Amino acid sequence: MSPREAAAPGRGRLDNPNSYIGRSVPRPNARRLLEGQARYVDDVQLPRLVHVVFVRSPHAHARIKTIDTAAAAAAPGVVRVVTGDMLAPYCSPWVGVLTHLRGLRSAPQACLPTDRVLWQGHPVVAVVAHALAQAQDAADRVEVRYEALPPLVDPEAALDPLSSVLHPELGSNLGFERRIAVGDVDAAIAQASAVIERTFYFSRHTGVTLEPRAILADYHAADQSLVVYLSSQAPHMMQDLLAKHLGLAETRVRVLCQDVGGSFGVKIHVYPDEMAAAALSVMLKRPVKFVADRIEAFVTDIHAREHRVHARMALSGEGRITAIDVDGLTGVGPYSAYPRTSGVETNQVINLIGAPYRVENYRARTRVVFQNKTMMSQYRAVGHPIACAVTEGLIDAAAGALGIDVAEIRRRNLIADDGYPCASATGMRFERLSHEAALAKILTMMEYPALRADQADCRRRGIWRGIGLATFVEITNPSPAFYGAGGAHIAAQDGCTVRLDASGSVVVQISVTEQGQGTETMVAQVVASAFGVPIERVRVITGDTDNTPHGGGTWASRAAGIGGEAALLAARALRDNVLAVAAAILQAKPVDLDIRHGLVVDRADGSERLELAQLARTVYFRTDLLPQDLRPELVATRHYVPREFAFAFTNGVQASHLEVDPDTGFIKLLHHWVVEDCGTIINPLLVDEQIRGGVVQGLGGALYEECLYDAEGQMVNANMADYLVPMAGEMPDIDIGHVETPTGESTLGAKGVGEAGVAGAPAAVMNAINDALSPFGVHVTTMPFTPQRILRALGKVTG
Amino acid sequence: MKPVPFAYVKASALSQVHQLLDRYGDRARILAGGQSLMAALNLRLSTPEVLIDITGLTELAGIRVVGDRLRIGALTRHCEVETSDLVNRYAPLIAQAMPHVAHPAIRNRGTFGGSIAFADPAAELPACVIALDAEIEIAAGAGRRRLAAPDFFVGVYETALQLGEVVTAVEVPIRAPGFRSAFAELARRHGDYAMVGLAAQGSCQAGRWRELRLAFFGAGPKPLRAARAEACLLSANLNAAAIAQAKFELAKDLDPFDDIHATAATKRYLAGVLLQRVVRTLVK
Amino acid sequence: MDRFVLLSMTVNGERVERRVDARTHLVDFLRAELGLMSARVGCEHGVCGACTVRVDGEIVRGCLTLAVQLAGARVETIEHLSETGEIADLQRAFHERNAVQCGYCTVGMLMTAAELVRTRPDADRAAIRQYLSGNYCRCTGYQAIVDAVATVLKQHKEALSP
């Protein structure tokens, strides 16, 4: 049964009579948000709370000569002005490396530096005051004298042996290099009928979460405990790291992630200003709040995607890919991010290039270079948009060179749907994907032949429309091999506790978290289905290290696949426990009973035997009525971690239809399609909206978003007017279809989907633009595709 | 960020405003709609000691016909201008431009006079008032004076306003029927400041231009009349060759500078594209 | 002329009187003085729209409005609009269509949508998109929001001509 058929009450997936799997349940927790009752970090008020504001380096690279805090300390409302040496005893430095990214190195990073500043925005001095405005006023009075040093603002220049080395102890500015060599690429290229060569540039861009980063740290000296309200995706990871770096017992650190106003990976990293705020709370023994303002957010939130990729694709005369050769270069910040590093993005780029296709000869090299710019790390769809654009850009160019239709050339190269399990040239093991079915489906949805006919007709009338396809593979549900094996305390497992209360309601405590994608709803659906109650009876608790089992949190599109499975297992275990009690009460056998719609029933005919609330009351208050040898437990905890496959790979295909105005360079997005296979779909409404949001985020990267730096390492567009994010007026409607290939690793069969929209959108748009421009004999490979870049490609403007 | 601390006063008379400006000079700022000033205050790009709120001077608001002119009071909010029957009838160019000015919430507070006095080179309304051959009425302690719009705009955020002066109204000559207007801008997203834009007004007769006023914005430190391009078009018939020649002349009329979205060369080129499109629209 | 000003206005139907630092913008006034946390800050330079609230019946950018400019004004936040049921149809449509994800843009989006519905009853999808162009959302990609607003406009039309 398709997810849409299952939207009606009654039968759903997993063969439970009141299953919610596959149903588009609106989020019960959304009402709060719609009525203005959300609770983000800045909404939390605590007694004696103080605000911290950071004086930040205006230079991309400089030595700190002197810091004069006297005037600031005397300003109204100021509690303390703190420099790096004052804070050092409260927070130990960190190094962003993972052992399995061999050769990755980074210099240690402290909250606040004592000798050098390494990027514009580097926090230098913390000013703590009673009111935020007072702290900002006082910060203006801090005088820091710097000796400017030459900044590294270009990765190629940074690799030049004549350039200065940012961290002399590292010997060079190369932070990481990785090579892959499979088969014989040179031979394949020599024998190829067609060799396509392109250099792709991807702009540095950033998440722009509407709620800026925020932390409220509340240290209680009497019991040496710390409560941290944090806008973050990974509370347990942060609990571990705060305990470690602040020298506190892990059990005395509580991290609360309540409502989070958007994250997309931005809020999953350790930030020096946030750690400083926590350290200040310990130092001052009172609550300390830090909320980044928008300008700060632009220069301190992690950036991502700054990549240059030079690539070649060799093909036979029939358009079969025989080899791909890649050389990637990415310029990150002055340190590798912590704890997830600044090496994973480019690692995924070279792992994923060519992934949808059969490629026997593959060679790749990628290098990560330190620069004096904002730090870079994981941001939604880490590396995928780059890998997809390189692959799909090359194959489209090949189609043009060989005179093969772009859909057809993909058909000839996609891994066949019956060709699984298999592994990519880069060693990624695919359980089962559905590229062929997905491509067929999207071509039907978009009415591909009609679009081509329309394109031809438009061309005759001087209207230039383009159609672009992009197939992609997405990494979801990562196993411990992803981070844990590299030494990071980042859990690949998640845990769920399900409890039946005396009133017959079900309380779920789970370690995956909510940032608006609907985690709480998805979990409620799984538990309601697997346990057997109406969803209204299920309450889900997330984002609290005191009140949930230990787990990874939400990232890498893992909440449904891993968290959902843990919820399913726990709910089934609770069901077994309850049926054991019911059997004792009803003098029946557990196997003859079931729980449906909140009642214990006869499995065979569904007749009602016992209300859950009544059973629960008996267990909690009338244990005297139960057999002595019965040990009722109305609570169950289960953890789940994928073990067999390193990742649950998913696949999808996207299509873009757009119009290019060759006189102005402006692009009008006419429509967009996505066909996605994420395995079992728990809530089609939530899944489709995640895809839509991701697509638009990808469109932003393709058409608008760019962190612009000048030669001095200053980000020149660090505000909402100059850094362009997609707004409603320019975005297209997006049609979505699905193929469903559940993973066999879990009962639920759910893979992840949160990042799929971002992964394929830039490639689809690039291919559509180049398709529109093909009559002019030009193409573009530098994102974002601004009007000026289009005009330059067309030769309408120079310089 | 929060603004720096300042003292606030709500003026009850224009004379009070002049006194305060005389006393505090450029340590004071006038607050009307606040849609530009507040952003500057919040970014601490502007750090006044005194804020003089003039929104209580209701005599400076309102739209009415005075003789052969349409008078728009400086404190008239954009949303009122946008929906005004008088503006639609007598200065349709402004009505055409209004939907491009920021967004509804900003138009609910921002004032017409505020936009004129702020003089952003990429803003729509300064170019409109130049295309409309408007006059800017200015009040000082000593009395009122009027400036032709081109004389009012001096440079980037720079006007001919002297210390102590306040824009009180903009007056637009009411044109005879037969005058057409056209407006176009190229902006990356709806509501953004334009990369380049053109506000145009003109009339044709017997296959030729009688009068033509082309005011570009985003193409120089202030809105610019494309005088050479106009002259070229006025001296020729309404045909494609004339437009091509005008595009060529246009490059000398404009003085764009590089910014993050486009180089000067790109802006010159785009201005030519707009010229072609807008002139064609005017002719139709 | 003073740095601190005694201010009175009506907020959500209640008369309030406070002494405020003149530099306090409306969002900070609502949050810090009145505990109305639904008013949000997203950029403080008037671009993102998260701060949109209603003053004298019209939407404004709360971050670009000084509280002291609103002496005697009537301010409404979403708490009030929810209580009176004025935007119940929009809230329901947003809910059913999943036009809310993280929720941070939602208040500003609903405020703006309410004004659209009131002033542009004939808006088509393109007009809805244009009207909402001053409200940034990073989560939804906008389509669900446009769908929800279009649904409400259609419901209003159908109610007028049964």
Side-chain angles (χ1 to χ4, degrees):
Chain A
M1 153 179 9
S2 79
R4 272 153 196 82
E5 287 170 299
R11 293 211 79 84
R13 302 289 301 275
L14 295 187
D15 288 334
N16 284 7
N18 71 274
S19 173
Y20 290 88
I21 307 302
R23 284 175 55 182
S24 291
V25 176
R27 295 171 59 202
N29 291 333
R31 266 203 67 170
R32 251 177 350 99
L33 306 177
L34 287 160
E35 295 186 16
Q37 301 298 315
R39 205 166 142 82
Y40 304 99
V41 170
D42 194 37
D43 300 334
V44 180
Q45 296 169 315
L46 294 175
R48 299 186 66 237
L49 183 154
V50 287
H51 298 262
V52 61
V53 162
F54 293 94
V55 177
R56 295 181 182 276
S57 168
H59 300 285
H61 191 199
R63 214 178 310 278
I64 302 169
K65 304 291 287 179
T66 59
I67 302 177
D68 187 347
T69 61
V78 171
V79 169
R80 198 75 62 92
V81 181
V82 178
T83 56
D85 50 358
M86 292 164 66
L87 200 58
Y90 291 90
C91 184
S92 61
W94 53 82
V95 185
V97 293
L98 287 169
T99 55
H100 64 325
L101 292 177
R102 286 212 303 211
L104 172 66
R105 67 258 182 79
S106 178
Q109 182 179 7
C111 285
L112 301 178
T114 49
D115 58 342
R116 258 193 317 162
V117 288
L118 290 162
W119 84 90
Q120 178 218 7
H122 200 159
V124 181
V125 180
V127 178
V128 183
H130 294 133
L132 181 53
Q134 289 173 325
Q136 289 174 352
D137 295 342
D140 281 350
R141 298 199 203 179
V142 172
E143 283 174 31
V144 185
R145 282 201 311 122
Y146 298 98
E147 178 196 320
L149 297 168
L152 294 172
V153 296
D154 174 71
E156 313 233 21
L159 284 174
D160 187 315
L162 295 174
S163 281
S164 57
V165 175
L166 208 49
H167 303 284
E169 68 273 25
L170 297 181
S172 79
N173 295 316
L174 181 68
F176 178 58
E177 179 170 346
R178 180 163 169 241
R179 291 168 189 263
I180 300 173
V182 173
D184 189 341
V185 164
D186 292 323
I189 287 177
Q191 290 153 28
S193 295
V195 179
I196 306 296
E197 187 164 353
R198 291 277 189 273
T199 302
F200 299 90
Y201 290 89
F202 301 89
S203 66
R204 178 179 262 257
H205 50 275
T206 185
V208 200
T209 61
L210 190 52
E211 180 212 13
R213 292 185 299 106
I215 182 171
L216 169 51
D218 183 16
Y219 180 70
H220 298 270
D223 57 6
Q224 297 175 313
S225 68
L226 178 70
V227 175
V228 177
Y229 298 84
L230 184 63
S231 192
S232 169
Q233 297 170 228
H236 288 97
M237 181 194 85
M238 289 309 300
Q239 176 193 27
D240 174 85
L241 292 173
L242 284 162
K244 173 177 165 180
H245 290 285
L246 299 179
L248 301 171
E250 186 197 28
T251 191
R252 293 192 185 270
V253 175
R254 180 181 184 189
V255 177
L256 289 151
C257 305
Q258 300 173 323
D259 289 316
V260 173
S263 186
F264 320 108
V266 171
K267 297 168 179 173
I268 205 168
H269 306 284
V270 163
Y271 288 91
D273 44 27
E274 293 174 14
M275 295 299 279
L280 286 165
S281 181
V282 176
M283 178 199 277
L284 300 173
K285 303 179 176 45
R286 65 198 293 181
V288 174
K289 182 188 275 190
F290 166 65
V291 178
D293 82 12
R294 183 55 57 189
I295 313 298
E296 271 182 309
F298 274 114
V299 294
T300 58
D301 288 356
I302 53 95
H303 291 180
R305 314 230 209 283
E306 181 183 326
H307 263 81
R308 181 220 70 197
V309 182
H310 180 78
R312 293 186 297 168
M313 180 183 273
L315 302 102
S316 70
E318 302 83 49
R320 296 231 159 36
I321 302 169
T322 56
I324 300 179
D325 190 15
V326 172
D327 188 0
L329 182 65
T330 178
V332 299
Y335 303 103
S336 173
Y338 180 70
R340 293 172 194 252
T341 82
S342 299
V344 170
E345 178 178 50
T346 202
N347 200 41
Q348 298 202 157
V349 169
I350 60 171
N351 277 343
L352 290 168
I353 287 175
Y357 306 113
R358 283 174 276 105
V359 179
E360 279 165 19
N361 303 292
Y362 182 73
R363 179 171 61 204
R365 173 185 75 162
T366 191
R367 290 175 294 174
V368 174
V369 183
F370 295 121
Q371 301 178 103
N372 295 110
K373 291 181 184 172
T374 303
M375 290 179 44
M376 286 216 332
S377 196
Q378 275 75 307
Y379 166 50
R380 198 175 190 186
V382 184
H384 291 61
I386 296 166
C388 178
V390 169
T391 307
E392 297 300 287
L394 288 169
I395 204 171
D396 254 33
L402 293 167
I404 303 172
D405 171 79
V406 292
E408 175 59 24
I409 199 171
R410 284 170 171 84
R411 271 193 284 269
R412 293 182 192 179
N413 285 285
L414 288 170
I415 302 171
D417 286 354
D418 61 3
Y420 297 95
C422 67
S424 75
T426 57
M428 297 182 305
R429 291 173 51 234
F430 302 136
E431 181 192 356
R432 199 166 134 223
L433 303 176
S434 61
H435 288 296
E436 293 180 316
L439 179 62
K441 183 156 192 164
I442 205 172
L443 293 171
T444 303
M445 281 170 65
M446 64 197 281
E447 296 178 48
Y448 184 70
L451 282 186
R452 283 290 178 206
D454 169 75
Q455 179 183 45
D457 180 60
C458 283
R459 278 176 178 164
R460 285 189 280 276
R461 293 184 284 125
I463 296 168
W464 311 98
R465 292 189 173 171
I467 302 159
L469 295 173
T471 59
F472 60 94
V473 163
E474 192 201 334
I475 283 174
T476 78
N477 300 355
S479 73
F482 197 41
Y483 284 118
H489 285 188
I490 294 170
Q493 55 77 24
D494 276 278
C496 182
T497 301
V498 186
R499 187 178 83 231
L500 179 67
D501 276 352
S503 61
S505 56
V506 177
V507 177
V508 182
Q509 296 161 286
I510 191 164
S511 52
V512 288
T513 54
E514 173 77 74
Q515 296 85 46
Q517 62 276 83
T519 307
E520 289 167 2
T521 304
M522 175 274 295
V523 168
Q525 285 177 255
V526 170
V527 169
S529 306
F531 182 62
V533 292
I535 198 170
E536 295 73 32
R537 289 230 211 144
V538 180
R539 181 165 79 95
V540 179
I541 296 170
T542 65
D544 182 350
T545 56
D546 263 13
N547 273 308
T548 61
H550 190 290
T554 295
W555 41 274
S557 304
R558 61 192 296 285
I562 298 178
E565 185 71 7
L568 178 96
L569 297 171
R572 282 193 171 173
L574 180 66
R575 188 172 153 281
D576 291 346
N577 290 0
V578 167
L579 290 181
V581 175
I585 293 174
L586 297 170
Q587 310 271 304
K589 286 194 273 206
V591 73
D592 295 330
L593 299 170
D594 197 1
I595 306 175
R596 298 174 195 171
H597 304 290
L599 297 155
V600 179
V601 304
D602 259 342
R603 176 180 289 279
D605 63 17
S607 57
E608 296 171 14
R609 301 294 306 273
L610 184 58
E611 271 193 11
L612 276 182
Q614 198 184 336
L615 181 150
R617 282 196 301 273
T618 307
V619 169
Y620 287 124
F621 309 125
R622 295 305 310 271
T623 337
D624 55 301
L625 298 175
L626 296 171
Q628 276 227 336
D629 59 345
L630 182 69
R631 292 276 177 268
E633 282 296 350
L634 299 188
V635 63
T637 299
R638 291 292 182 272
H639 286 73
Y640 175 72
V641 62
R643 297 300 299 269
E644 200 189 323
F645 286 89
F647 304 102
F649 285 99
T650 66
N651 64 278
V653 56
Q654 299 196 21
S656 169
H657 187 214
L658 51 79
E659 194 171 299
V660 178
D661 182 338
D663 291 326
T664 61
F666 274 66
I667 290 162
K668 188 169 150 72
L669 298 171
L670 299 172
H671 210 84
H672 202 95
W673 295 263
V674 180
V675 171
E676 170 69 13
D677 185 347
C678 53
T680 304
I681 294 177
I682 299 163
N683 186 321
L685 175 65
L686 300 183
V687 163
D688 283 2
E689 291 312 308
Q690 275 291 286
I691 292 173
R692 289 195 171 96
V695 165
V696 169
Q697 211 163 4
L699 295 176
L703 296 171
Y704 294 102
E705 299 185 46
E706 211 174 358
C707 298
L708 294 166
Y709 281 83
D710 66 15
E712 305 310 309
Q714 304 283 309
M715 184 174 163
V716 298
N717 63 336
N719 63 75
M720 298 286 305
D722 295 329
Y723 181 96
L724 303 178
V725 289
M727 304 298 275
E730 290 72 39
M731 289 300 107
D733 281 345
I734 302 157
D735 288 345
I736 301 177
H738 291 279
V739 178
E740 261 183 73
T741 309
T743 170
E745 260 215 82
S746 67
T747 319
L748 205 45
K751 302 176 187 174
V753 75
E755 297 166 277
V758 190
V765 164
M766 178 177 71
N767 284 347
I769 292 171
N770 286 330
D771 186 48
L773 294 177
S774 63
F776 299 92
V778 302
H779 64 264
V780 286
T781 51
T782 297
M783 296 193 196
F785 301 114
T786 62
Q788 181 162 264
R789 289 198 171 111
I790 303 290
L791 291 174
R792 282 188 177 149
L794 287 165
K796 306 263 174 136
V797 298
T798 50
Chain B
M1 264 195 290
K2 312 306 166 191
V4 296
F6 49 76
Y8 168 87
V9 59
K10 184 159 182 176
S12 50
L14 206 44
S15 55
Q16 186 190 7
V17 176
H18 298 309
Q19 282 160 20
L20 287 165
L21 288 172
D22 279 339
R23 183 164 160 206
Y24 290 98
D26 62 14
R27 292 180 294 144
R29 283 284 178 281
I30 287 176
L31 175 65
Q35 302 303 281
S36 299
L37 179 62
M38 283 303 303
L41 290 176
N42 289 345
L43 292 168
R44 296 200 173 191
L45 294 174
S46 175
T47 54
E49 290 173 31
V50 176
L51 224 60
I52 307 165
D53 185 345
I54 61 168
T55 57
L57 306 177
T58 50
E59 74 273 19
L60 297 185
I63 304 167
R64 60 186 203 276
V65 172
V66 180
D68 61 352
R69 316 184 129 249
L70 177 71
R71 181 183 173 89
I72 302 175
L75 283 183
T76 313
R77 291 177 301 148
H78 292 316
C79 58
E80 287 156 358
V81 175
E82 190 177 358
T83 54
S84 158
D85 282 335
L86 292 175
V87 170
N88 251 289
R89 203 181 322 156
Y90 297 124
L93 180 59
I94 292 176
Q96 288 167 308
M98 268 306 174
H100 296 272
V101 174
H103 299 284
I106 291 181
R107 298 201 292 272
N108 283 342
R109 297 284 298 175
T111 63
F112 198 87
S115 178
I116 299 303
F118 188 56
D120 188 307
E124 293 82 3
L125 297 176
C128 286
V129 302
I130 286 193
L132 291 168
D133 198 17
E135 280 191 328
I136 318 292
E137 185 189 88
I138 297 164
R144 304 221 172 178
R145 65 184 181 115
R146 301 163 84 87
L147 277 179
D151 298 328
F152 178 80
F153 301 103
V154 170
V156 179
Y157 306 126
E158 201 191 327
T159 68
L161 283 173
Q162 303 295 312
L163 206 54
E165 290 186 319
V166 176
V167 173
T168 47
V170 174
E171 290 196 346
V172 174
I174 292 172
R175 294 291 176 178
F179 248 78
R180 286 113 163 257
S181 59
F183 180 90
E185 72 171 47
L186 291 169
R188 297 293 306 279
R189 305 169 305 180
H190 178 77
D192 284 351
Y193 278 111
M195 284 170 78
V196 72
L198 173 54
Q201 191 174 226
S203 71
C204 315
Q205 199 176 51
R208 291 181 71 98
W209 289 105
R210 295 304 304 275
E211 198 173 328
L212 187 60
R213 305 175 64 85
L214 303 171
F216 281 89
F217 53 103
K222 54 181 187 166
L224 296 168
R225 280 282 297 283
R228 288 184 185 80
E230 287 172 10
C232 190
L233 288 166
L234 285 165
S235 67
N237 290 317
L238 300 168
N239 59 32
I243 292 179
Q245 184 62 23
K247 276 168 78 171
F248 179 75
E249 294 294 319
L250 180 64
K252 298 174 223 158
D253 285 326
L254 303 177
D255 183 24
F257 39 84
D258 295 347
D259 68 25
I260 57 172
H261 297 308
T263 59
T266 298
K267 290 188 196 179
R268 276 205 170 82
Y269 164 80
L270 289 173
V273 174
L274 283 184
L275 176 75
Q276 184 157 356
R277 292 183 179 183
V278 169
V279 166
R280 284 222 180 100
T281 307
L282 273 181
V283 168
K284 263 189 273 172
Chain C
M1 179 167 68
D2 212 345
R3 204 185 125 188
F4 292 89
V5 177
L6 186 61
L7 173 64
S8 75
M9 63 173 82
T10 305
V11 180
N12 293 342
E14 275 177 33
R15 278 215 60 211
V16 300
E17 200 170 272
R18 293 286 192 283
R19 202 169 165 71
V20 288
D21 186 349
R23 61 173 162 167
T24 309
H25 58 56
L26 180 58
V27 173
D28 281 347
F29 177 75
L30 293 169
R31 290 175 65 83
E33 293 295 330
L34 305 178
L36 288 164
M37 295 308 187
S38 72
R40 309 213 165 281
V41 162
C43 73
E44 276 182 322
H45 38 284
V47 179
C48 76
C51 66
T52 307
V53 291
R54 207 191 266 180
V55 173
D56 292 331
E58 293 173 326
I59 51 169
V60 302
R61 295 277 199 252
C63 74
L64 296 184
T65 311
L66 287 178
V68 294
Q69 281 198 287
L70 301 182
R74 179 171 50 95
V75 177
E76 293 164 287
T77 68
I78 201 140
E79 285 90 340
H80 186 63
L81 272 59
S82 299
E83 217 170 298
T84 61
E86 185 198 320
I87 54 166
D89 50 1
L90 275 171
Q91 286 165 319
R92 186 170 40 244
F94 268 56
H95 194 188
E96 284 169 4
R97 186 59 193 80
N98 206 63
V100 184
Q101 290 192 29
C102 83
Y104 208 80
C105 79
T106 301
V107 169
M109 217 38 108
L110 282 169
M111 286 286 187
T112 306
E115 184 144 318
L116 164 71
V117 166
R118 181 175 67 85
T119 60
R120 316 261 165 123
D122 291 317
D124 61 9
R125 285 184 78 82
I128 295 170
R129 279 185 179 278
Q130 196 174 94
Y131 200 92
L132 296 178
S133 270
N135 289 76
Y136 174 48
C137 172
R138 193 52 139 175
C139 297
T140 67
Y142 304 107
Q143 185 173 345
I145 295 173
V146 176
D147 287 349
V149 176
T151 296
V152 171
L153 286 172
K154 184 159 169 254
Q155 286 167 353
H156 284 205
K157 275 214 160 94
E158 281 163 5
L160 286 174
S161 54

